[in-house]
mmCIF file of all heavy atoms in Angstrom:
data_model
loop_
_atom_site.group_PDB
_atom_site.id
_atom_site.type_symbol
_atom_site.label_atom_id
_atom_site.label_comp_id
_atom_site.label_asym_id
_atom_site.label_seq_id
_atom_site.Cartn_x
_atom_site.Cartn_y
_atom_site.Cartn_z
ATOM 1 N N ALA U 1 -1.483 4.232 -5.790
ATOM 2 C CA ALA U 1 -2.570 3.287 -5.510
ATOM 3 C C ALA U 1 -3.832 4.014 -5.030
ATOM 4 O O ALA U 1 -4.950 3.661 -5.409
ATOM 5 C CB ALA U 1 -2.117 2.268 -4.480
ATOM 6 N N ARG U 2 -3.631 5.033 -4.200
ATOM 7 C CA ARG U 2 -4.787 5.784 -3.673
ATOM 8 C C ARG U 2 -5.395 6.718 -4.721
ATOM 9 O O ARG U 2 -6.607 6.744 -4.926
ATOM 10 C CB ARG U 2 -4.375 6.583 -2.433
ATOM 11 C CG ARG U 2 -4.158 5.760 -1.206
ATOM 12 C CD ARG U 2 -5.453 5.217 -0.583
ATOM 13 N NE ARG U 2 -6.316 6.298 -0.130
ATOM 14 C CZ ARG U 2 -7.590 6.448 -0.502
ATOM 15 N NH1 ARG U 2 -8.125 5.594 -1.353
ATOM 16 N NH2 ARG U 2 -8.314 7.434 -0.019
ATOM 17 N N GLN U 3 -4.532 7.496 -5.392
ATOM 18 C CA GLN U 3 -5.015 8.549 -6.265
ATOM 19 C C GLN U 3 -5.337 8.068 -7.674
ATOM 20 O O GLN U 3 -6.249 8.586 -8.308
ATOM 21 C CB GLN U 3 -3.950 9.674 -6.358
ATOM 22 C CG GLN U 3 -3.558 10.282 -5.025
ATOM 23 C CD GLN U 3 -4.689 11.073 -4.391
ATOM 24 O OE1 GLN U 3 -5.573 11.563 -5.086
ATOM 25 N NE2 GLN U 3 -4.685 11.189 -3.070
ATOM 26 N N ARG U 4 -4.587 7.095 -8.173
ATOM 27 C CA ARG U 4 -4.734 6.686 -9.584
ATOM 28 C C ARG U 4 -5.490 5.366 -9.721
ATOM 29 O O ARG U 4 -6.320 5.226 -10.590
ATOM 30 C CB ARG U 4 -3.360 6.583 -10.237
ATOM 31 C CG ARG U 4 -3.391 6.487 -11.750
ATOM 32 C CD ARG U 4 -1.981 6.504 -12.298
ATOM 33 N NE ARG U 4 -1.966 6.483 -13.758
ATOM 34 C CZ ARG U 4 -1.985 7.572 -14.513
ATOM 35 N NH1 ARG U 4 -2.020 8.778 -13.950
ATOM 36 N NH2 ARG U 4 -1.960 7.492 -15.827
ATOM 37 N N TRP U 5 -5.143 4.399 -8.859
ATOM 38 C CA TRP U 5 -5.823 3.112 -8.921
ATOM 39 C C TRP U 5 -7.102 3.088 -8.090
ATOM 40 O O TRP U 5 -7.894 2.153 -8.196
ATOM 41 C CB TRP U 5 -4.898 1.989 -8.441
ATOM 42 C CG TRP U 5 -3.614 1.864 -9.209
ATOM 43 C CD1 TRP U 5 -3.344 2.362 -10.458
ATOM 44 C CD2 TRP U 5 -2.430 1.182 -8.782
ATOM 45 N NE1 TRP U 5 -2.065 2.045 -10.833
ATOM 46 C CE2 TRP U 5 -1.460 1.322 -9.830
ATOM 47 C CE3 TRP U 5 -2.078 0.492 -7.634
ATOM 48 C CZ2 TRP U 5 -0.195 0.781 -9.738
ATOM 49 C CZ3 TRP U 5 -0.795 -0.044 -7.546
ATOM 50 C CH2 TRP U 5 0.140 0.094 -8.587
ATOM 51 N N HIS U 6 -7.258 4.089 -7.228
ATOM 52 C CA HIS U 6 -8.447 4.222 -6.373
ATOM 53 C C HIS U 6 -8.626 3.015 -5.464
ATOM 54 O O HIS U 6 -9.744 2.522 -5.258
ATOM 55 C CB HIS U 6 -9.703 4.448 -7.216
ATOM 56 C CG HIS U 6 -9.571 5.593 -8.176
ATOM 57 N ND1 HIS U 6 -9.432 6.907 -7.762
ATOM 58 C CD2 HIS U 6 -9.530 5.628 -9.549
ATOM 59 C CE1 HIS U 6 -9.330 7.687 -8.830
ATOM 60 N NE2 HIS U 6 -9.369 6.959 -9.914
ATOM 61 N N TRP U 7 -7.526 2.537 -4.911
ATOM 62 C CA TRP U 7 -7.600 1.456 -3.946
ATOM 63 C C TRP U 7 -8.251 1.954 -2.667
ATOM 64 O O TRP U 7 -8.071 3.110 -2.270
ATOM 65 C CB TRP U 7 -6.199 0.942 -3.621
ATOM 66 C CG TRP U 7 -5.647 -0.046 -4.623
ATOM 67 C CD1 TRP U 7 -6.109 -0.284 -5.878
ATOM 68 C CD2 TRP U 7 -4.508 -0.870 -4.449
ATOM 69 N NE1 TRP U 7 -5.336 -1.226 -6.498
ATOM 70 C CE2 TRP U 7 -4.350 -1.615 -5.655
ATOM 71 C CE3 TRP U 7 -3.604 -1.093 -3.402
ATOM 72 C CZ2 TRP U 7 -3.322 -2.535 -5.832
ATOM 73 C CZ3 TRP U 7 -2.581 -2.012 -3.573
ATOM 74 C CH2 TRP U 7 -2.453 -2.720 -4.781
ATOM 75 N N HIS U 8 -8.959 1.057 -2.006
ATOM 76 C CA HIS U 8 -9.543 1.372 -0.704
ATOM 77 C C HIS U 8 -8.407 1.583 0.301
ATOM 78 O O HIS U 8 -7.374 0.910 0.242
ATOM 79 C CB HIS U 8 -10.443 0.220 -0.249
ATOM 80 C CG HIS U 8 -11.260 0.533 0.975
ATOM 81 N ND1 HIS U 8 -10.763 0.430 2.254
ATOM 82 C CD2 HIS U 8 -12.558 0.938 1.092
ATOM 83 C CE1 HIS U 8 -11.694 0.768 3.121
ATOM 84 N NE2 HIS U 8 -12.800 1.084 2.431
ATOM 85 N N PRO U 9 -8.562 2.539 1.243
ATOM 86 C CA PRO U 9 -7.490 2.773 2.225
ATOM 87 C C PRO U 9 -7.046 1.517 2.972
ATOM 88 O O PRO U 9 -5.869 1.316 3.234
ATOM 89 C CB PRO U 9 -8.121 3.789 3.189
ATOM 90 C CG PRO U 9 -9.126 4.506 2.369
ATOM 91 C CD PRO U 9 -9.663 3.501 1.391
ATOM 92 N N LEU U 10 -8.002 0.630 3.294
ATOM 93 C CA LEU U 10 -7.654 -0.601 3.987
ATOM 94 C C LEU U 10 -6.772 -1.485 3.126
ATOM 95 O O LEU U 10 -5.777 -2.055 3.599
ATOM 96 C CB LEU U 10 -8.927 -1.355 4.375
ATOM 97 C CG LEU U 10 -8.720 -2.672 5.159
ATOM 98 C CD1 LEU U 10 -7.987 -2.389 6.478
ATOM 99 C CD2 LEU U 10 -10.055 -3.368 5.418
ATOM 100 N N LYS U 11 -7.084 -1.577 1.826
ATOM 101 C CA LYS U 11 -6.280 -2.368 0.910
ATOM 102 C C LYS U 11 -4.871 -1.797 0.781
ATOM 103 O O LYS U 11 -3.880 -2.523 0.796
ATOM 104 C CB LYS U 11 -6.970 -2.419 -0.469
ATOM 105 C CG LYS U 11 -6.253 -3.298 -1.487
ATOM 106 C CD LYS U 11 -7.015 -3.306 -2.817
ATOM 107 C CE LYS U 11 -6.325 -4.186 -3.852
ATOM 108 N NZ LYS U 11 -7.052 -4.190 -5.141
ATOM 109 N N CYS U 12 -4.792 -0.468 0.682
ATOM 110 C CA CYS U 12 -3.480 0.199 0.609
ATOM 111 C C CYS U 12 -2.648 -0.090 1.854
ATOM 112 O O CYS U 12 -1.459 -0.404 1.762
ATOM 113 C CB CYS U 12 -3.668 1.718 0.455
ATOM 114 S SG CYS U 12 -3.856 2.271 -1.221
ATOM 115 N N ASN U 13 -3.271 0.048 2.997
ATOM 116 C CA ASN U 13 -2.522 -0.123 4.247
ATOM 117 C C ASN U 13 -2.063 -1.563 4.432
ATOM 118 O O ASN U 13 -0.957 -1.834 4.897
ATOM 119 C CB ASN U 13 -3.390 0.306 5.438
ATOM 120 C CG ASN U 13 -3.598 1.812 5.483
ATOM 121 O OD1 ASN U 13 -2.702 2.567 5.083
ATOM 122 N ND2 ASN U 13 -4.754 2.251 5.954
ATOM 123 N N LEU U 14 -2.945 -2.508 4.057
ATOM 124 C CA LEU U 14 -2.586 -3.917 4.234
ATOM 125 C C LEU U 14 -1.469 -4.336 3.283
ATOM 126 O O LEU U 14 -0.500 -4.972 3.696
ATOM 127 C CB LEU U 14 -3.813 -4.803 4.028
ATOM 128 C CG LEU U 14 -4.843 -4.827 5.160
ATOM 129 C CD1 LEU U 14 -6.062 -5.662 4.757
ATOM 130 C CD2 LEU U 14 -4.222 -5.381 6.436
ATOM 131 N N ILE U 15 -1.613 -3.973 2.011
ATOM 132 C CA ILE U 15 -0.655 -4.459 1.005
ATOM 133 C C ILE U 15 0.604 -3.596 0.985
ATOM 134 O O ILE U 15 1.705 -4.060 1.281
ATOM 135 C CB ILE U 15 -1.312 -4.503 -0.394
ATOM 136 C CG1 ILE U 15 -2.482 -5.508 -0.388
ATOM 137 C CG2 ILE U 15 -0.282 -4.872 -1.454
ATOM 138 C CD1 ILE U 15 -3.255 -5.579 -1.689
ATOM 139 N N LEU U 16 0.436 -2.313 0.659
ATOM 140 C CA LEU U 16 1.608 -1.456 0.543
ATOM 141 C C LEU U 16 2.189 -1.091 1.910
ATOM 142 O O LEU U 16 3.402 -0.901 2.045
ATOM 143 C CB LEU U 16 1.241 -0.186 -0.242
ATOM 144 C CG LEU U 16 1.004 -0.473 -1.737
ATOM 145 C CD1 LEU U 16 0.283 0.681 -2.413
ATOM 146 C CD2 LEU U 16 2.290 -0.762 -2.456
ATOM 147 N N GLY U 17 1.301 -1.007 2.920
ATOM 148 C CA GLY U 17 1.819 -0.798 4.279
ATOM 149 C C GLY U 17 2.670 -1.961 4.721
ATOM 150 O O GLY U 17 3.698 -1.783 5.394
ATOM 151 N N GLY U 18 2.256 -3.187 4.346
ATOM 152 C CA GLY U 18 3.057 -4.364 4.670
ATOM 153 C C GLY U 18 4.414 -4.336 3.959
ATOM 154 O O GLY U 18 5.458 -4.625 4.569
ATOM 155 N N PHE U 19 4.394 -3.970 2.662
ATOM 156 C CA PHE U 19 5.657 -3.847 1.920
ATOM 157 C C PHE U 19 6.558 -2.790 2.559
ATOM 158 O O PHE U 19 7.774 -2.993 2.691
ATOM 159 C CB PHE U 19 5.397 -3.463 0.468
ATOM 160 C CG PHE U 19 4.734 -4.535 -0.347
ATOM 161 C CD1 PHE U 19 3.927 -4.215 -1.431
ATOM 162 C CD2 PHE U 19 4.922 -5.876 -0.049
ATOM 163 C CE1 PHE U 19 3.331 -5.188 -2.191
ATOM 164 C CE2 PHE U 19 4.326 -6.872 -0.809
ATOM 165 C CZ PHE U 19 3.518 -6.521 -1.888
ATOM 166 N N LEU U 20 5.975 -1.667 2.955
ATOM 167 C CA LEU U 20 6.743 -0.575 3.540
ATOM 168 C C LEU U 20 7.379 -1.009 4.857
ATOM 169 O O LEU U 20 8.526 -0.650 5.158
ATOM 170 C CB LEU U 20 5.851 0.656 3.764
ATOM 171 C CG LEU U 20 6.553 1.907 4.297
ATOM 172 C CD1 LEU U 20 7.638 2.363 3.333
ATOM 173 C CD2 LEU U 20 5.533 3.025 4.523
ATOM 174 N N LEU U 21 6.649 -1.787 5.661
ATOM 175 C CA LEU U 21 7.198 -2.277 6.928
ATOM 176 C C LEU U 21 8.430 -3.136 6.686
ATOM 177 O O LEU U 21 9.462 -2.984 7.351
ATOM 178 C CB LEU U 21 6.127 -3.080 7.666
ATOM 179 C CG LEU U 21 6.560 -3.693 9.021
ATOM 180 C CD1 LEU U 21 6.951 -2.591 10.001
ATOM 181 C CD2 LEU U 21 5.445 -4.562 9.599
ATOM 182 N N VAL U 22 8.348 -4.040 5.689
ATOM 183 C CA VAL U 22 9.491 -4.893 5.348
ATOM 184 C C VAL U 22 10.666 -4.025 4.890
ATOM 185 O O VAL U 22 11.809 -4.229 5.303
ATOM 186 C CB VAL U 22 9.101 -5.907 4.245
ATOM 187 C CG1 VAL U 22 10.330 -6.663 3.745
ATOM 188 C CG2 VAL U 22 8.065 -6.888 4.770
ATOM 189 N N ASP U 23 10.381 -3.044 4.025
ATOM 190 C CA ASP U 23 11.450 -2.166 3.512
ATOM 191 C C ASP U 23 12.123 -1.395 4.641
ATOM 192 O O ASP U 23 13.351 -1.261 4.658
ATOM 193 C CB ASP U 23 10.868 -1.155 2.505
ATOM 194 C CG ASP U 23 10.404 -1.817 1.222
ATOM 195 O OD1 ASP U 23 10.832 -2.952 0.955
ATOM 196 O OD2 ASP U 23 9.621 -1.190 0.485
ATOM 197 N N ILE U 24 11.323 -0.865 5.573
ATOM 198 C CA ILE U 24 11.888 -0.076 6.661
ATOM 199 C C ILE U 24 12.763 -0.931 7.577
ATOM 200 O O ILE U 24 13.826 -0.492 8.024
ATOM 201 C CB ILE U 24 10.756 0.628 7.464
ATOM 202 C CG1 ILE U 24 10.129 1.740 6.605
ATOM 203 C CG2 ILE U 24 11.287 1.190 8.767
ATOM 204 C CD1 ILE U 24 8.897 2.377 7.243
ATOM 205 N N VAL U 25 12.302 -2.155 7.832
ATOM 206 C CA VAL U 25 13.119 -3.061 8.669
ATOM 207 C C VAL U 25 14.451 -3.345 7.988
ATOM 208 O O VAL U 25 15.516 -3.307 8.611
ATOM 209 C CB VAL U 25 12.351 -4.359 8.958
ATOM 210 C CG1 VAL U 25 13.264 -5.387 9.629
ATOM 211 C CG2 VAL U 25 11.149 -4.097 9.851
ATOM 212 N N TYR U 26 14.407 -3.634 6.686
ATOM 213 C CA TYR U 26 15.655 -3.884 5.959
ATOM 214 C C TYR U 26 16.549 -2.631 5.943
ATOM 215 O O TYR U 26 17.766 -2.720 6.140
ATOM 216 C CB TYR U 26 15.346 -4.312 4.508
ATOM 217 C CG TYR U 26 15.395 -5.808 4.310
ATOM 218 C CD1 TYR U 26 14.271 -6.519 3.936
ATOM 219 C CD2 TYR U 26 16.584 -6.504 4.486
ATOM 220 C CE1 TYR U 26 14.320 -7.905 3.738
ATOM 221 C CE2 TYR U 26 16.649 -7.880 4.294
ATOM 222 C CZ TYR U 26 15.517 -8.567 3.923
ATOM 223 O OH TYR U 26 15.583 -9.935 3.742
#
C-alpha cells in the first residue's frame, strides 16, 4: 500500500493498521 499504491501514511495506519490490530488480537 505504501510503496506500490502510494497510500498516504495516515490512510495506511487507519485501514491496514486497524486490520493488523484485529489480526494480532485474534
Side-chain angles (χ1 to χ4, degrees):
R2 286 288 297 125
Q3 303 292 335
R4 194 176 183 89
W5 302 341
H6 307 295
W7 278 15
H8 190 278
L10 181 60
K11 183 179 180 181
C12 274
N13 290 327
L14 285 176
I15 297 177
L16 289 164
F19 291 152
L20 183 60
L21 179 62
V22 172
D23 291 342
I24 289 174
V25 171
Y26 261 117

